[in-house]
Amino acid sequence: QPEEAANGVSGTIITILYTFDVVLAIFCELLTSKQSKWSLMLYNIVELFEIVIMIILKARFASLAVSIFFWIPMHTIGFFHWGKHPDKQKEELTQVRSLKGWQSALLVLAGAIWTVGVGYLLSLIEVEGILSYSEVVQDVGGYLDACASAIGIANGVFILLRYREQWIAWYLVTAIEIVLNIMAGQWILLVLKVGYLTNTTYGYMKWTK
């Protein structure tokens, strides 16, 4: 079932964009799980799809800004950084690292502050978008979007520095995305998110090993 039309763009086109976005992202996750640096350049194409979708739907402004000003530069820098740290057994792969306890605690605190601050600012913005059918839903969606963007920023650093905790971040972001999809009535995306969870589980197991 296609998405509903939004801001003059047909639901079929939006559904096609979403489908390409999620399927390509799943493939990128698979490449990342195999420690391939080429996944990072392919992720930039995913970000372009997501930027177009968020502009069409007039929603997820925090994630939109993070995609433009953080993810695309981070993926590009990460591509070259990964190439400088080949795996000891297979040079075409990259080495994997793990966070210390104090680093994890600091990131959780920073993420909480970001979520509250950015979420509050988003609650002040009034715009007709996919979540604007209810003031409560729009405000809650703003805080969830802020949280997703905070985890996304942390995840970008994890990917750049080759930390296995990126897979835990993927779990959290996917969970938030599922909630936002339900709030927006985007039921078709729930099926596609199964691919995310499957790849994330595989990636975490492989990077841990």
Side-chain angles (χ1 to χ4, degrees):
Q1 178 181 351
E3 292 283 316
E4 294 182 3
N7 302 309
V9 179
S10 74
T12 300
I13 292 177
I14 295 174
T15 299
I16 292 173
L17 288 172
Y18 262 128
T19 302
F20 273 107
D21 173 47
V22 177
V23 171
L24 190 58
I26 291 173
F27 181 65
C28 285
E29 271 199 342
L30 183 60
L31 283 180
T32 303
S33 68
K34 295 182 179 298
Q35 299 161 244
S36 171
K37 66 179 182 179
W38 293 102
S39 65
L40 300 177
M41 295 307 290
L42 196 57
Y43 265 127
N44 280 342
I45 299 177
V46 174
E47 294 301 327
L48 292 176
F49 272 107
E50 294 188 352
I51 289 169
V52 171
I53 291 170
M54 287 184 281
I55 290 175
I56 290 174
L57 298 180
K58 293 184 179 179
R60 308 290 305 281
F61 297 110
S63 294
L64 175 62
V66 170
S67 291
I68 296 173
F69 299 109
F70 180 80
W71 273 116
I72 291 178
M74 188 64 73
H75 286 148
T76 304
I77 295 172
F79 173 78
F80 296 102
H81 183 70
W82 278 32
K84 295 179 180 179
H85 299 275
D87 185 77
K88 294 181 180 179
Q89 296 180 347
K90 296 182 179 180
E91 292 188 356
E92 69 273 15
L93 304 182
T94 189
Q95 290 179 335
V96 172
R97 305 167 68 189
S98 184
L99 286 175
K100 295 180 174 61
W102 68 267
Q103 292 174 316
S104 299
L106 187 61
L107 284 169
V108 170
L109 177 61
I113 295 173
W114 174 281
T115 298
V116 173
V118 175
Y120 175 72
L121 292 176
L122 291 176
S123 69
L124 301 177
I125 299 175
E126 295 185 6
V127 62
E128 291 295 323
I130 195 171
L131 295 175
S132 60
Y133 61 86
S134 166
E135 184 176 349
V136 174
V137 169
Q138 189 170 20
D139 288 345
V140 172
Y143 280 99
L144 289 175
D145 185 29
C147 184
S149 67
I151 298 173
I153 291 174
N155 198 18
V157 176
F158 294 161
I159 292 174
L160 174 64
L161 300 179
R162 314 177 319 280
Y163 283 108
R164 69 165 183 169
E165 280 77 10
Q166 64 156 306
W167 299 107
I168 297 176
W170 277 122
Y171 273 123
L172 296 175
V173 169
T174 301
I176 294 173
E177 293 280 351
I178 289 173
V179 174
L180 287 168
N181 291 157
I182 293 174
M183 291 169 60
Q186 299 168 312
W187 308 108
I188 188 174
L189 296 182
L190 299 181
V191 178
L192 297 176
K193 291 294 166 60
V194 174
Y196 274 153
L197 294 174
T198 302
N199 267 1
T200 299
T201 301
Y202 172 73
Y204 181 77
M205 292 173 62
K206 192 172 187 302
W207 278 46
T208 299
K209 181 180 178 179

